[in-house]
Amino acid sequence: MALNIVIGTQWGDEGKGRVVDLLAAEADYVARYNGGDNAGHTVTVGDKTFKLHLIPSGVIHPHTTGVIGNGVVINPRVLLKEIETTRAAGVEITPERLRISHAAHIITPAHLALDAAREQARGEGKIGTTLRGIGPAYNHKTARGGLRMEAMLDLEEFAEGFKAHVEMVNEQLTLLYRAEPLDAQAITEQYLGYAHELTPYIGNTSIRLNQALRQGANVLAEGAQGTLLDLDHGTYPYVTSSTPTASGALVGLGLGASHVGRVIGVTKAFQTRVGEGPFPTEVFGETAERLRGTGDKPWDEFGTTTGRPRRVGWLDSVLLRYAAQINGITELTITKLDVLSGLENLYICTAYRKDRQTYSDLPLGPTDLDYEPEYEELPGWEEDIMGLRKWEDLPQTAQAYLRRIEAIAGVPIRLVSVGPERDQVIEVE
Ligand code: IMP
Protein backbone atom coordinates (compact mmCIF):
# COMPACT_ATOMS: atom_id res chain seq x y z
CA MET A 1 0.00 0.00 0.00
CA ALA A 2 1.24 3.45 -0.74
CA LEU A 3 0.73 7.11 -1.31
CA ASN A 4 -0.96 7.69 -4.66
CA ILE A 5 -1.07 11.25 -5.91
CA VAL A 6 -3.67 12.79 -8.23
CA ILE A 7 -2.54 15.97 -9.94
CA GLY A 8 -3.84 18.23 -12.69
CA THR A 9 -1.57 18.56 -15.73
CA GLN A 10 -3.07 21.83 -16.99
CA TRP A 11 -4.43 25.07 -15.41
CA GLY A 12 -6.74 23.30 -12.97
CA ASP A 13 -10.33 22.21 -13.59
CA GLU A 14 -9.20 18.97 -15.28
CA GLY A 15 -11.88 16.94 -13.48
CA LYS A 16 -9.66 15.69 -10.65
CA GLY A 17 -12.62 15.52 -8.26
CA ARG A 18 -14.27 12.68 -10.05
CA VAL A 19 -11.01 10.78 -10.60
CA VAL A 20 -10.37 11.10 -6.86
CA ASP A 21 -13.90 9.90 -6.24
CA LEU A 22 -13.19 6.76 -8.30
CA LEU A 23 -9.82 6.05 -6.69
CA ALA A 24 -11.14 6.80 -3.20
CA ALA A 25 -13.06 3.53 -3.36
CA GLU A 26 -9.72 1.82 -2.62
CA ALA A 27 -8.26 4.45 -0.27
CA ASP A 28 -8.25 4.61 3.51
CA TYR A 29 -7.29 8.28 3.63
CA VAL A 30 -7.98 11.05 1.13
CA ALA A 31 -5.87 14.13 1.72
CA ARG A 32 -5.77 17.68 0.35
CA TYR A 33 -2.23 19.05 0.35
CA ASN A 34 -2.25 22.49 -1.30
CA GLY A 35 -4.33 25.57 -2.01
CA GLY A 36 -7.52 26.54 -0.27
CA ASP A 37 -11.08 27.34 -1.23
CA ASN A 38 -9.86 28.73 -4.56
CA ALA A 39 -10.29 25.10 -5.64
CA GLY A 40 -13.62 23.64 -6.62
CA HIS A 41 -14.09 19.92 -7.05
CA THR A 42 -17.33 18.74 -8.58
CA VAL A 43 -18.48 15.16 -8.09
CA THR A 44 -21.77 13.78 -9.40
CA VAL A 45 -23.25 10.75 -7.65
CA GLY A 46 -26.70 9.76 -8.93
CA ASP A 47 -28.90 12.84 -8.76
CA LYS A 48 -26.57 14.63 -6.34
CA THR A 49 -23.79 16.98 -7.42
CA PHE A 50 -21.26 17.89 -4.73
CA LYS A 51 -19.20 21.05 -5.14
CA LEU A 52 -16.39 20.92 -2.63
CA HIS A 53 -13.77 23.61 -2.06
CA LEU A 54 -11.83 22.50 1.02
CA ILE A 55 -13.04 19.11 2.18
CA PRO A 56 -11.28 16.36 0.15
CA SER A 57 -13.83 15.12 -2.38
CA GLY A 58 -12.98 11.49 -1.54
CA VAL A 59 -14.86 11.76 1.80
CA ILE A 60 -18.07 11.15 -0.10
CA HIS A 61 -17.06 7.49 0.33
CA PRO A 62 -18.12 6.63 3.89
CA HIS A 63 -15.15 4.32 4.58
CA THR A 64 -12.48 7.03 4.07
CA THR A 65 -10.96 9.52 6.48
CA GLY A 66 -10.40 12.98 5.06
CA VAL A 67 -7.28 14.98 5.83
CA ILE A 68 -6.58 18.65 5.22
CA GLY A 69 -2.80 18.82 5.27
CA ASN A 70 -0.33 21.45 6.44
CA GLY A 71 0.15 22.72 2.87
CA VAL A 72 -3.46 23.94 2.69
CA VAL A 73 -4.68 27.42 3.66
CA ILE A 74 -8.06 27.30 5.38
CA ASN A 75 -10.82 29.87 5.57
CA PRO A 76 -12.63 28.65 8.73
CA ARG A 77 -15.89 30.34 7.74
CA VAL A 78 -15.93 28.52 4.38
CA LEU A 79 -14.89 25.21 5.92
CA LEU A 80 -17.63 25.26 8.56
CA LYS A 81 -20.24 26.14 5.94
CA GLU A 82 -19.00 23.30 3.74
CA ILE A 83 -19.13 20.83 6.63
CA GLU A 84 -22.73 21.88 7.19
CA THR A 85 -23.84 21.57 3.55
CA THR A 86 -22.00 18.29 3.02
CA ARG A 87 -23.67 16.88 6.13
CA ALA A 88 -27.04 18.13 4.91
CA ALA A 89 -26.42 16.19 1.66
CA GLY A 90 -26.12 13.01 3.73
CA VAL A 91 -22.32 12.68 4.09
CA GLU A 92 -21.20 12.14 7.67
CA ILE A 93 -18.51 14.67 8.59
CA THR A 94 -17.25 14.31 12.15
CA PRO A 95 -13.93 15.14 13.86
CA GLU A 96 -13.11 11.41 13.52
CA ARG A 97 -13.70 11.44 9.75
CA LEU A 98 -12.08 14.76 8.96
CA ARG A 99 -8.67 15.64 10.38
CA ILE A 100 -7.09 19.07 9.96
CA SER A 101 -3.36 19.62 10.26
CA HIS A 102 -2.33 21.80 13.19
CA ALA A 103 0.21 23.40 10.82
CA ALA A 104 -2.24 24.47 8.08
CA HIS A 105 -2.51 28.24 7.83
CA ILE A 106 -5.66 30.26 8.41
CA ILE A 107 -7.19 32.60 5.82
CA THR A 108 -8.79 35.61 7.49
CA PRO A 109 -11.04 38.43 6.19
CA ALA A 110 -7.88 40.56 6.26
CA HIS A 111 -6.35 38.25 3.63
CA LEU A 112 -9.46 38.58 1.46
CA ALA A 113 -9.32 42.37 1.73
CA LEU A 114 -5.62 42.35 0.82
CA ASP A 115 -6.23 40.06 -2.17
CA ALA A 116 -8.85 42.49 -3.51
CA ALA A 117 -6.73 45.58 -2.82
CA ARG A 118 -3.67 44.07 -4.53
CA GLU A 119 -5.61 42.96 -7.59
CA GLN A 120 -7.00 46.45 -7.92
CA ALA A 121 -3.55 47.97 -7.53
CA ARG A 122 -2.17 45.67 -10.27
CA GLY A 123 -4.55 47.28 -12.77
CA GLU A 124 -3.87 45.97 -16.29
CA GLY A 125 -1.37 43.48 -14.90
CA LYS A 126 -3.91 41.79 -12.64
CA ILE A 127 -3.60 38.02 -12.13
CA GLY A 128 -7.34 37.34 -12.08
CA THR A 129 -7.17 35.63 -8.69
CA THR A 130 -10.21 33.96 -7.18
CA LEU A 131 -10.18 36.71 -4.50
CA ARG A 132 -10.22 34.05 -1.78
CA GLY A 133 -7.21 35.51 0.08
CA ILE A 134 -4.91 32.71 -1.09
CA GLY A 135 -1.85 34.78 -2.06
CA PRO A 136 -1.84 36.97 1.06
CA ALA A 137 -2.26 33.95 3.36
CA TYR A 138 0.73 32.18 1.77
CA ASN A 139 2.66 35.50 1.88
CA HIS A 140 2.21 35.62 5.64
CA LYS A 141 3.18 31.96 5.89
CA THR A 142 6.49 32.42 4.06
CA ALA A 143 7.15 35.70 5.88
CA ARG A 144 6.77 33.65 9.09
CA GLY A 145 3.97 35.82 10.39
CA GLY A 146 0.95 33.63 9.59
CA LEU A 147 -1.70 32.15 11.87
CA ARG A 148 -1.76 28.37 12.01
CA MET A 149 -4.70 26.16 12.95
CA GLU A 150 -2.87 25.07 16.12
CA ALA A 151 -3.32 28.63 17.44
CA MET A 152 -7.02 27.76 17.84
CA LEU A 153 -6.15 25.25 20.55
CA ASP A 154 -5.60 28.12 23.01
CA LEU A 155 -8.57 30.43 22.52
CA GLU A 156 -7.23 33.30 24.59
CA GLU A 157 -3.93 33.39 22.75
CA PHE A 158 -5.76 32.91 19.45
CA ALA A 159 -7.93 35.99 20.07
CA GLU A 160 -4.88 38.09 20.88
CA GLY A 161 -2.90 36.95 17.83
CA PHE A 162 -5.91 37.23 15.52
CA LYS A 163 -6.73 40.80 16.56
CA ALA A 164 -3.09 41.86 16.20
CA HIS A 165 -3.05 40.33 12.69
CA VAL A 166 -6.17 42.25 11.56
CA GLU A 167 -4.79 45.48 13.03
CA MET A 168 -1.48 44.98 11.22
CA VAL A 169 -3.24 44.34 7.88
CA ASN A 170 -5.49 47.35 8.52
CA GLU A 171 -2.40 49.54 8.44
CA GLN A 172 -1.42 48.14 5.05
CA LEU A 173 -4.96 48.45 3.71
CA THR A 174 -5.34 52.07 4.71
CA LEU A 175 -1.81 53.40 4.20
CA LEU A 176 -0.72 51.41 1.16
CA TYR A 177 -3.95 50.78 -0.72
CA ARG A 178 -6.23 53.58 0.55
CA ALA A 179 -8.81 50.89 1.35
CA GLU A 180 -11.27 50.75 4.23
CA PRO A 181 -10.01 49.15 7.47
CA LEU A 182 -11.77 46.10 8.93
CA ASP A 183 -13.45 45.98 12.34
CA ALA A 184 -10.76 44.02 14.19
CA GLN A 185 -12.80 43.46 17.34
CA ALA A 186 -15.93 42.18 15.58
CA ILE A 187 -13.98 39.85 13.26
CA THR A 188 -11.94 38.47 16.15
CA GLU A 189 -15.11 37.59 18.05
CA GLN A 190 -16.57 35.91 14.98
CA TYR A 191 -13.40 33.86 14.43
CA LEU A 192 -13.22 32.88 18.12
CA GLY A 193 -16.57 31.19 17.54
CA TYR A 194 -15.18 29.36 14.48
CA ALA A 195 -12.08 28.33 16.45
CA HIS A 196 -14.27 26.86 19.15
CA GLU A 197 -16.14 24.76 16.57
CA LEU A 198 -13.03 23.58 14.71
CA THR A 199 -10.85 22.64 17.70
CA PRO A 200 -11.95 18.96 17.77
CA TYR A 201 -10.80 18.46 14.16
CA ILE A 202 -7.23 19.72 14.65
CA GLY A 203 -4.24 17.41 15.17
CA ASN A 204 -0.88 16.29 13.80
CA THR A 205 -1.99 14.74 10.52
CA SER A 206 1.58 14.03 9.39
CA ILE A 207 2.09 11.59 12.29
CA ARG A 208 -1.29 10.03 11.62
CA LEU A 209 -0.62 9.49 7.89
CA ASN A 210 2.92 8.20 8.43
CA GLN A 211 1.63 5.68 10.95
CA ALA A 212 -1.17 4.64 8.64
CA LEU A 213 1.24 4.12 5.72
CA ARG A 214 3.54 2.01 7.89
CA GLN A 215 0.55 -0.15 8.79
CA GLY A 216 -0.27 -0.72 5.12
CA ALA A 217 -2.94 1.93 4.56
CA ASN A 218 -3.67 3.41 1.16
CA VAL A 219 -3.41 7.21 1.09
CA LEU A 220 -4.74 9.21 -1.83
CA ALA A 221 -3.35 12.73 -2.15
CA GLU A 222 -5.78 15.05 -3.89
CA GLY A 223 -4.09 17.94 -5.68
CA ALA A 224 -5.93 21.19 -6.26
CA GLN A 225 -5.34 23.57 -9.22
CA GLY A 226 -2.83 22.23 -11.77
CA THR A 227 0.80 21.99 -12.83
CA LEU A 228 0.71 25.21 -14.87
CA LEU A 229 -0.52 27.16 -11.82
CA ASP A 230 2.38 25.91 -9.66
CA LEU A 231 4.20 28.77 -7.95
CA ASP A 232 7.62 27.54 -9.12
CA HIS A 233 6.85 25.55 -12.24
CA GLY A 234 3.78 27.26 -13.70
CA THR A 235 3.17 30.28 -15.92
CA TYR A 236 4.64 32.69 -13.36
CA PRO A 237 3.43 35.26 -12.31
CA TYR A 238 0.01 34.06 -13.49
CA VAL A 239 0.00 31.24 -10.99
CA THR A 240 -1.40 30.42 -7.60
CA SER A 241 0.73 30.68 -4.45
CA SER A 242 1.07 26.98 -3.62
CA THR A 243 2.58 23.78 -5.03
CA PRO A 244 -0.08 21.79 -6.90
CA THR A 245 2.55 19.50 -8.47
CA ALA A 246 3.21 15.98 -7.13
CA SER A 247 6.11 16.97 -4.89
CA GLY A 248 3.74 19.36 -3.10
CA ALA A 249 1.97 16.30 -1.72
CA LEU A 250 5.07 15.32 0.25
CA VAL A 251 5.68 18.77 1.75
CA GLY A 252 1.98 19.52 2.14
CA LEU A 253 1.23 16.32 4.04
CA GLY A 254 4.55 15.80 5.84
CA LEU A 255 5.41 12.51 4.10
CA GLY A 256 8.62 11.03 2.73
CA ALA A 257 9.28 10.35 -0.96
CA SER A 258 9.69 6.61 -0.44
CA HIS A 259 5.94 6.21 0.09
CA VAL A 260 4.98 7.32 -3.41
CA GLY A 261 3.32 4.69 -5.59
CA ARG A 262 1.30 6.01 -8.54
CA VAL A 263 1.33 9.59 -9.79
CA ILE A 264 -1.91 10.01 -11.73
CA GLY A 265 -2.00 12.96 -14.10
CA VAL A 266 -5.48 14.19 -14.95
CA THR A 267 -5.75 15.85 -18.37
CA LYS A 268 -8.82 17.32 -19.98
CA ALA A 269 -9.20 16.25 -23.64
CA PHE A 270 -8.85 19.94 -24.51
CA GLN A 271 -7.32 22.91 -22.69
CA THR A 272 -9.03 25.43 -20.34
CA ARG A 273 -7.88 28.31 -18.19
CA VAL A 274 -9.62 30.73 -15.85
CA GLY A 275 -7.98 34.04 -15.02
CA GLU A 276 -5.25 35.94 -16.84
CA GLY A 277 -2.01 34.65 -18.33
CA PRO A 278 -0.65 33.07 -21.51
CA PHE A 279 -2.60 30.37 -23.36
CA PRO A 280 -0.99 29.55 -26.74
CA THR A 281 -3.75 27.21 -28.01
CA GLU A 282 -6.70 29.39 -26.96
CA VAL A 283 -9.62 29.45 -29.41
CA PHE A 284 -12.49 31.89 -29.76
CA GLY A 285 -15.85 32.10 -31.53
CA GLU A 286 -17.95 29.11 -32.43
CA THR A 287 -15.42 26.41 -31.50
CA ALA A 288 -14.87 28.07 -28.12
CA GLU A 289 -18.61 28.18 -27.44
CA ARG A 290 -18.88 24.55 -28.43
CA LEU A 291 -16.08 23.47 -26.05
CA ARG A 292 -17.23 25.72 -23.18
CA GLY A 293 -20.93 24.82 -23.18
CA THR A 294 -23.66 27.24 -22.22
CA GLY A 295 -23.43 26.96 -18.45
CA ASP A 296 -26.69 24.98 -18.26
CA LYS A 297 -24.94 21.84 -17.07
CA PRO A 298 -22.84 21.74 -13.87
CA TRP A 299 -19.87 20.41 -15.87
CA ASP A 300 -19.88 23.17 -18.51
CA GLU A 301 -16.73 25.30 -18.51
CA PHE A 302 -17.63 27.91 -15.92
CA GLY A 303 -15.57 28.24 -12.70
CA THR A 304 -16.85 26.14 -9.77
CA THR A 305 -15.61 28.76 -7.33
CA THR A 306 -16.18 32.04 -9.16
CA GLY A 307 -18.66 31.16 -11.95
CA ARG A 308 -16.35 32.89 -14.47
CA PRO A 309 -16.50 31.50 -18.04
CA ARG A 310 -13.30 29.56 -18.66
CA ARG A 311 -11.04 30.30 -21.61
CA VAL A 312 -10.84 27.23 -23.85
CA GLY A 313 -8.48 25.84 -26.49
CA TRP A 314 -6.96 22.79 -28.15
CA LEU A 315 -4.89 20.28 -26.23
CA ASP A 316 -1.31 21.49 -25.80
CA SER A 317 1.00 18.49 -25.77
CA VAL A 318 4.16 20.59 -25.32
CA LEU A 319 2.75 21.58 -21.94
CA LEU A 320 1.52 18.04 -21.28
CA ARG A 321 4.99 16.58 -21.84
CA TYR A 322 6.34 19.23 -19.48
CA ALA A 323 3.75 18.29 -16.82
CA ALA A 324 4.62 14.59 -17.20
CA GLN A 325 8.24 15.41 -16.50
CA ILE A 326 7.77 17.87 -13.61
CA ASN A 327 5.41 15.51 -11.76
CA GLY A 328 6.94 12.15 -12.66
CA ILE A 329 3.53 11.03 -13.91
CA THR A 330 3.11 7.26 -14.08
CA GLU A 331 -0.31 7.20 -15.79
CA LEU A 332 -2.83 9.55 -17.35
CA THR A 333 -6.57 9.94 -17.01
CA ILE A 334 -8.22 11.80 -19.89
CA THR A 335 -11.44 13.56 -18.97
CA LYS A 336 -14.34 15.02 -20.96
CA LEU A 337 -13.60 13.14 -24.18
CA ASP A 338 -17.36 13.22 -24.86
CA VAL A 339 -17.24 17.01 -25.27
CA LEU A 340 -15.22 16.56 -28.48
CA SER A 341 -17.93 14.42 -30.15
CA GLY A 342 -19.35 16.06 -33.27
CA LEU A 343 -16.28 18.14 -34.12
CA GLU A 344 -15.12 17.43 -37.65
CA ASN A 345 -11.43 17.86 -36.94
CA LEU A 346 -9.39 17.98 -33.76
CA TYR A 347 -6.07 19.72 -33.24
CA ILE A 348 -3.19 18.91 -30.92
CA CYS A 349 -0.39 21.41 -30.47
CA THR A 350 2.79 19.38 -30.89
CA ALA A 351 5.41 22.14 -31.01
CA TYR A 352 5.93 25.90 -30.75
CA ARG A 353 7.37 28.20 -33.38
CA LYS A 354 9.20 31.50 -33.08
CA ASP A 355 11.51 33.33 -35.53
CA ARG A 356 11.30 30.43 -37.99
CA GLN A 357 12.57 28.01 -35.36
CA THR A 358 10.54 25.08 -34.00
CA TYR A 359 10.64 24.03 -30.36
CA SER A 360 9.19 20.76 -29.11
CA ASP A 361 10.10 21.65 -25.51
CA LEU A 362 10.01 24.88 -23.55
CA PRO A 363 13.37 26.69 -23.54
CA LEU A 364 12.51 28.74 -20.44
CA GLY A 365 9.66 26.68 -19.02
CA PRO A 366 6.08 27.88 -19.26
CA THR A 367 6.80 31.40 -17.98
CA ASP A 368 7.58 32.41 -21.54
CA LEU A 369 4.82 31.15 -23.83
CA ASP A 370 5.14 33.79 -26.49
CA TYR A 371 5.16 31.29 -29.37
CA GLU A 372 2.97 30.27 -32.29
CA PRO A 373 1.51 26.80 -31.75
CA GLU A 374 2.12 24.17 -34.43
CA TYR A 375 -0.84 21.85 -34.80
CA GLU A 376 -1.38 18.30 -35.90
CA GLU A 377 -4.85 17.76 -37.36
CA LEU A 378 -6.75 14.60 -36.51
CA PRO A 379 -10.19 13.51 -37.72
CA GLY A 380 -13.00 13.78 -35.15
CA TRP A 381 -16.02 11.50 -34.63
CA GLU A 382 -19.76 12.05 -34.94
CA GLU A 383 -21.02 9.47 -32.45
CA ASP A 384 -22.28 10.22 -28.96
CA ILE A 385 -19.80 8.25 -26.80
CA MET A 386 -21.33 8.92 -23.38
CA GLY A 387 -22.93 5.49 -23.18
CA LEU A 388 -19.74 3.57 -24.06
CA ARG A 389 -17.84 1.63 -21.37
CA LYS A 390 -15.32 -0.36 -23.40
CA TRP A 391 -12.22 0.79 -25.24
CA GLU A 392 -13.02 -1.34 -28.30
CA ASP A 393 -16.42 0.35 -28.66
CA LEU A 394 -14.87 3.82 -29.01
CA PRO A 395 -14.79 5.13 -32.60
CA GLN A 396 -11.44 4.44 -34.30
CA THR A 397 -10.80 8.17 -34.57
CA ALA A 398 -11.32 8.64 -30.79
CA GLN A 399 -8.91 5.77 -30.13
CA ALA A 400 -6.39 7.36 -32.50
CA TYR A 401 -6.73 10.74 -30.73
CA LEU A 402 -6.03 9.10 -27.35
CA ARG A 403 -3.16 6.98 -28.65
CA ARG A 404 -1.57 10.10 -30.12
CA ILE A 405 -1.78 11.91 -26.75
CA GLU A 406 -0.23 8.90 -25.05
CA ALA A 407 2.62 8.74 -27.56
CA ILE A 408 3.38 12.45 -27.30
CA ALA A 409 3.24 12.54 -23.48
CA GLY A 410 5.22 9.32 -23.20
CA VAL A 411 2.86 8.08 -20.46
CA PRO A 412 0.14 5.41 -20.69
CA ILE A 413 -3.53 6.38 -20.48
CA ARG A 414 -5.30 4.19 -17.93
CA LEU A 415 -8.72 5.81 -17.74
CA VAL A 416 -10.93 7.93 -19.99
CA SER A 417 -14.06 9.70 -18.81
CA VAL A 418 -16.98 10.10 -21.21
CA GLY A 419 -19.50 11.84 -18.96
CA PRO A 420 -19.96 13.32 -15.51
CA GLU A 421 -21.43 10.26 -13.76
CA ARG A 422 -19.36 7.91 -11.61
CA ASP A 423 -19.73 5.02 -14.07
CA GLN A 424 -19.11 7.00 -17.28
CA VAL A 425 -15.52 5.84 -17.59
CA ILE A 426 -13.54 3.53 -19.84
CA GLU A 427 -10.60 1.59 -18.49
CA VAL A 428 -7.72 1.29 -20.94
CA GLU A 429 -5.79 -1.98 -20.99
P1 IMP B 1 -5.49 32.49 -6.60
O1 IMP B 1 -5.14 31.06 -6.37
O2 IMP B 1 -6.88 32.85 -6.15
O3 IMP B 1 -4.46 33.44 -6.05
O4 IMP B 1 -5.51 32.75 -8.18
C1 IMP B 1 -4.33 32.70 -8.99
C2 IMP B 1 -4.64 32.12 -10.35
O5 IMP B 1 -4.95 30.74 -10.23
C3 IMP B 1 -5.83 32.74 -11.07
O6 IMP B 1 -5.58 32.74 -12.46
C4 IMP B 1 -6.98 31.79 -10.75
O7 IMP B 1 -8.01 31.86 -11.72
C5 IMP B 1 -6.23 30.47 -10.79
N1 IMP B 1 -6.87 29.42 -9.97
C6 IMP B 1 -6.82 29.30 -8.64
N2 IMP B 1 -7.48 28.22 -8.23
C7 IMP B 1 -7.94 27.61 -9.34
C8 IMP B 1 -8.68 26.39 -9.57
O8 IMP B 1 -9.02 25.64 -8.66
N3 IMP B 1 -8.95 26.11 -10.87
C9 IMP B 1 -8.55 26.91 -11.90
N4 IMP B 1 -7.85 28.03 -11.72
C10 IMP B 1 -7.56 28.39 -10.46
Side-chain angles (χ1 to χ4, degrees):
M1 291 295 166
L3 168 69
N4 296 322
I5 307 173
V6 173
I7 54 102
T9 65
Q10 296 158 322
W11 283 289
D13 308 318
E14 297 91 351
K16 297 178 290 295
R18 56 174 318 220
V19 176
V20 167
D21 178 57
L22 282 174
L23 295 169
E26 289 154 27
D28 302 295
Y29 287 85
V30 187
R32 269 284 302 274
Y33 62 85
N34 78 296
D37 63 302
N38 49 349
H41 290 167
T42 309
V43 184
T44 306
V45 185
D47 57 357
K48 282 189 187 159
T49 295
F50 295 86
K51 290 194 174 209
L52 297 168
H53 300 280
L54 272 168
I55 298 177
S57 51
V59 298
I60 293 169
H61 289 264
H63 70 277
T64 61
T65 298
V67 170
I68 301 182
N70 58 276
V72 177
V73 282
I74 300 171
N75 182 328
R77 186 182 57 72
V78 174
L79 178 58
L80 284 165
K81 183 89 198 131
E82 197 164 296
I83 290 175
E84 196 187 304
T85 50
T86 313
R87 265 188 198 145
V91 179
E92 192 193 356
I93 305 283
T94 60
E96 287 72 45
R97 278 210 70 213
L98 178 68
R99 303 303 302 154
I100 302 174
S101 168
H102 68 291
H105 278 246
I106 302 171
I107 296 183
T108 73
H111 291 134
L112 268 76
L114 267 182
D115 203 355
R118 286 181 184 166
E119 274 290 83
Q120 201 177 2
R122 286 185 189 112
E124 288 283 290
K126 75 175 192 296
I127 292 167
T129 75
T130 58
L131 299 176
R132 295 296 195 270
I134 306 295
Y138 279 115
N139 285 168
H140 282 154
K141 172 178 175 173
T142 48
R144 295 159 292 184
L147 291 163
R148 310 209 306 181
M149 291 301 285
E150 63 191 341
M152 291 183 173
L153 301 174
D154 181 331
L155 291 178
E156 212 172 298
E157 220 173 279
F158 176 71
E160 229 171 82
F162 196 93
K163 192 155 175 249
H165 153 79
V166 179
E167 283 167 351
M168 182 265 292
V169 174
N170 269 345
E171 283 194 24
Q172 291 180 27
L173 286 172
T174 51
L175 298 176
L176 219 55
Y177 299 105
R178 309 269 174 245
E180 288 295 313
L182 303 170
D183 183 341
Q185 185 61 34
I187 296 175
T188 303
E189 276 162 29
Q190 193 185 13
Y191 274 68
L192 254 180
Y194 298 154
H196 189 72
E197 283 186 71
L198 286 174
T199 302
Y201 295 85
I202 302 169
N204 188 329
T205 52
S206 164
I207 290 185
R208 173 96 176 241
L209 289 176
N210 270 292
Q211 255 168 8
L213 280 163
R214 273 200 304 276
Q215 287 164 5
N218 211 340
V219 177
L220 186 64
E222 176 176 337
Q225 290 85 45
T227 303
L228 303 171
L229 288 172
D230 186 280
L231 180 60
D232 289 80
H233 302 292
T235 49
Y236 191 89
Y238 299 99
V239 292
T240 191
S241 299
S242 69
T243 306
T245 41
S247 46
L250 304 178
V251 182
L253 295 174
L255 296 173
S258 55
H259 292 299
V260 181
R262 298 155 68 188
V263 179
I264 301 136
V266 184
T267 304
K268 205 180 280 185
F270 49 101
Q271 206 86 7
T272 65
R273 167 161 219 176
V274 60
E276 308 301 317
F279 186 165
T281 61
E282 185 166 14
V283 295
F284 303 90
E286 219 174 283
T287 312
E289 276 165 31
R290 183 61 194 64
L291 293 173
R292 185 181 300 118
T294 55
D296 284 352
K297 304 189 217 78
W299 55 91
D300 282 348
E301 296 297 345
F302 292 79
T304 319
T305 302
T306 57
R308 290 182 285 181
R310 295 181 187 137
R311 299 158 66 193
V312 294
W314 297 117
L315 187 76
D316 189 328
S317 70
V318 177
L319 293 176
L320 179 57
R321 249 195 325 268
Y322 171 76
Q325 170 201 312
I326 287 288
N327 293 290
I329 292 173
T330 58
E331 63 192 270
L332 282 175
T333 290
I334 304 295
T335 59
K336 295 188 101 171
L337 187 70
D338 51 296
V339 173
L340 300 183
S341 297
L343 287 165
E344 196 181 344
N345 291 308
L346 305 173
Y347 298 89
I348 300 179
C349 164
T350 50
Y352 291 155
R353 203 178 330 112
K354 188 161 39 190
D355 302 331
R356 278 191 242 133
Q357 242 195 300
T358 301
Y359 301 84
S360 52
D361 286 306
L362 299 160
L364 291 180
T367 296
D368 175 17
L369 287 184
D370 188 16
Y371 295 90
E372 275 296 310
E374 249 180 33
Y375 290 108
E376 193 172 295
E377 187 183 281
L378 288 96
W381 57 93
E382 270 301 320
E383 300 91 316
D384 176 0
I385 58 171
M386 292 177 89
L388 305 182
R389 299 291 176 270
K390 289 198 194 116
W391 169 263
E392 55 272 24
D393 293 340
L394 277 173
Q396 288 297 321
T397 46
Q399 291 184 11
Y401 182 68
L402 294 168
R403 288 298 182 215
R404 190 69 191 116
I405 296 173
E406 201 171 50
I408 295 168
V411 183
I413 295 174
R414 290 267 176 260
L415 208 65
V416 179
S417 88
V418 289
E421 293 285 343
R422 239 181 203 171
D423 70 332
Q424 287 180 300
V425 289
I426 295 174
E427 279 184 42
V428 185
E429 296 298 318

